Amino acid sequence: IEWFTPDGAAMTDERWRSSEQTLAVFLNGDQIPNKGRRGERIVDHSFLLLLNGNSVPATFRLPGDPWAKEYELEVDTELGFVRPRGVEAPSITAGEELPMSPRSIVLLRKTA
């Protein structure tokens, strides 16, 4: 798990303790430390979870290498969007800025 600030920088202890209520978390499906029942490596999709708990809009810069080059929208609470299985969703390139409304959540899946 990697933690980020809205500007795409790694989360520091100082920023973590601030009153800022925005956060990005990268859940790396390529780095699962547990093994399967037969000792096999477990690999899953990787996700970027963006949280804006603030009462004002926020803009997130999506982190790039080594985490991802491109993301696909899975969930956006502002839009009331949940991507149905098998349906293509908008893709967003790493480094782009993603505006978010107050008190909203966005879930992106790494595609490249």
Side-chain angles (χ1 to χ4, degrees), residues 53-65:
N54 227 328
S55 60
V56 295
T59 301
F60 283 86
R61 180 177 305 279
L62 302 183
D65 280 339

Side-chain angles (χ1 to χ4, degrees), residues 3-92:
W3 302 83
F4 297 94
T5 60
D7 58 7
M11 179 64 74
T12 62
D13 287 341
E14 182 180 323
R15 294 281 299 262
W16 181 257
R17 291 185 183 97
S18 76
S19 61
E20 191 171 326
Q21 298 174 342
T22 55
L23 180 69
V25 182
F26 186 78
L27 305 166
N28 194 340
D30 292 327
Q31 297 295 319
I32 298 172
N34 301 353
K35 302 284 183 187
R37 290 188 303 206
R38 294 182 215 111
E40 73 275 13
R41 183 171 179 250
I42 299 173
V43 178
D44 200 355
H45 293 288
S46 296
F47 294 93
L48 180 63
L49 177 64
L50 308 175
L51 306 158
N52 182 13
N54 227 328
S55 60
V56 295
T59 301
F60 283 86
R61 180 177 305 279
L62 302 183
D65 280 339
W67 296 279
K69 294 179 182 172
E70 188 173 77
Y71 301 89
E72 201 169 73
L73 182 65
E74 293 287 329
V75 175
D76 186 330
T77 59
E78 176 187 10
L79 301 174
F81 176 81
V82 175
R83 185 176 73 93
R85 184 177 292 269
V87 173
E88 287 192 31
S91 64
I92 305 165

